[in-house]
Amino acid sequence: MTVEMTRLANESTQYRAAREELRLAEIDLMRQRERVAELRRGLPTGAVLEDYVFEEGPADLAAGDEPVRQVRLSELFSGTDRPLIVYHFMYGKAQDSPCPMCTMWIDGFNSVVDHVSQNADFVVVAAADVPTLRSHARARGWDRLRLLSAGSGTFKYDLASEDEAGAQDSTISVFTRDADGTVRHFYTGHPWMSADIRERGVDLHSPVWHLLDLTPAGRGEWYPELRYE
C-alpha cells in the first residue's frame, strides 16, 4: 500500500515514486533502530564497578564554585530501579578547550533533562576541574544539569573516554545499581565504531544531525562551533 505524504496536486510521478521508495527505506531503518534498542536492552549483567569519586560544586550554577564536595558514583542514583546516564564531556587534561560538538550535544541535554529525569538520572562528567567546567557551563546557560569533575580519578580512562596521555573523547555510558547498592556498567557508546567510522557512533543523541539530514544538501562538511558570527 502506498502512503501519500502530502496532498500536493502538482508532484511529479517520478517524485512520488522516489518518495515511496524512501518511505519504505525509512520503515526499514525504524525497525532496525528498534532491533538495536532491543539488543541493547537485552545485554547480560554488566561488570561491577568501583565506587568512583567525583567533585561537584553548588547545585545552583549561579552560586559560584564553592564549596566543592566529593560525591561517589553510587550517590548519583536518585532512587531504586533508576538507571544513570553519564555523558563524558571532552574538556580537561589534553583537551584544553571545550569540544564544540560536545557543547552542542550538552546544549540539547540541558533542554531535555527534565523529561529524561522522569525515567533516569543524568549527569555530565569532564576531566576539567570544577571552576573551569562551571565557567563554560555558565557561558552556555547549562542551569539544569549536574556537572561533575573526574579529573583526579580513573573513571574516564576506565570507560575509554580518555587515553594515557589525557586525550579526551566524547562518550555516553549507562549504569545500574543493584538492590544491595552494587553499581554495574550497562552500556557505553563512542563516536568511533570501526576503522572507517570515527565520528558518527553517537549521532543519535543530538537532533541537529538528523534535522540537517532532512535537507537537500544534508550535513555536508559542517561542524559545530562554540560561537557563530
Side-chain angles (χ1 to χ4, degrees), residues 89-130:
F89 182 20
M90 291 175 63
Y91 194 18
K93 295 188 178 178
Q95 181 86 29
D96 57 9
S97 63
C99 169
M101 188 176 294
C102 288
T103 297
M104 179 186 75
W105 282 327
I106 300 171
D107 285 344
F109 297 153
N110 189 68
S111 297
V112 302
V113 70
D114 288 349
H115 303 288
V116 174
S117 64
Q118 303 307 304
N119 300 284
D121 296 308
F122 182 89
V123 301
V124 173
V125 173
D129 60 55
V130 169

Side-chain angles (χ1 to χ4, degrees), residues 20-36:
E20 176 63 9
E21 181 182 7
L22 173 59
R23 182 183 71 87
L24 297 176
E26 289 172 335
I27 290 173
D28 289 341
L29 177 60
M30 181 203 71
R31 289 176 174 159
Q32 179 62 13
R33 285 199 306 267
E34 291 178 349
R35 172 61 177 155
V36 169

Side-chain angles (χ1 to χ4, degrees), residues 6-223:
T6 72
R7 296 187 179 88
L8 300 175
N10 61 343
E11 282 182 339
S12 68
T13 300
Q14 180 184 18
Y15 178 91
R16 292 194 175 192
R19 182 62 185 92
E20 176 63 9
E21 181 182 7
L22 173 59
R23 182 183 71 87
L24 297 176
E26 289 172 335
I27 290 173
D28 289 341
L29 177 60
M30 181 203 71
R31 289 176 174 159
Q32 179 62 13
R33 285 199 306 267
E34 291 178 349
R35 172 61 177 155
V36 169
E38 181 182 8
L39 290 171
R40 187 182 297 114
R41 291 192 299 269
L43 286 170
T45 301
V48 173
L49 298 176
E50 68 175 88
D51 207 1
Y52 295 97
V53 176
F54 307 95
E55 291 186 334
E56 182 178 26
D60 183 358
L61 190 61
D65 302 328
E66 300 287 344
V68 173
R69 70 185 187 98
Q70 290 190 334
V71 57
R72 292 189 173 275
L73 180 62
S74 61
E75 296 172 327
L76 300 176
F77 295 82
S78 64
T80 57
D81 300 322
R82 282 176 63 87
L84 170 67
I85 304 170
V86 175
Y87 182 75
H88 304 245
F89 182 20
M90 291 175 63
Y91 194 18
K93 295 188 178 178
Q95 181 86 29
D96 57 9
S97 63
C99 169
M101 188 176 294
C102 288
T103 297
M104 179 186 75
W105 282 327
I106 300 171
D107 285 344
F109 297 153
N110 189 68
S111 297
V112 302
V113 70
D114 288 349
H115 303 288
V116 174
S117 64
Q118 303 307 304
N119 300 284
D121 296 308
F122 182 89
V123 301
V124 173
V125 173
D129 60 55
V130 169
T132 301
L133 174 59
R134 289 170 68 86
S135 176
H136 183 60
R138 276 190 286 270
R140 303 302 302 191
W142 295 341
D143 56 352
R144 299 180 179 181
L145 298 171
R146 288 192 72 175
L147 306 165
L148 307 172
S149 172
S152 60
T154 63
F155 174 78
K156 289 173 89 345
Y157 178 81
D158 293 345
L159 275 299
S161 69
E162 179 179 290
D163 66 15
E164 295 89 343
Q168 306 293 303
D169 200 5
S170 56
T171 300
I172 195 153
S173 297
V174 181
F175 306 96
T176 60
R177 188 176 63 176
D178 294 348
D180 65 0
T182 301
V183 177
R184 296 181 182 272
H185 174 253
F186 175 73
Y187 169 82
T188 290
H190 299 276
W192 44 267
M193 303 179 75
S194 66
D196 61 332
I197 301 175
R198 301 300 301 172
E199 286 195 332
R200 298 196 176 189
V202 292
D203 275 11
L204 285 175
H205 310 310
S206 173
V208 174
W209 304 117
H210 308 290
L211 290 173
L212 293 177
D213 282 343
L214 295 175
T215 67
R219 66 183 75 182
E221 299 300 318
W222 180 82
Y223 196 87

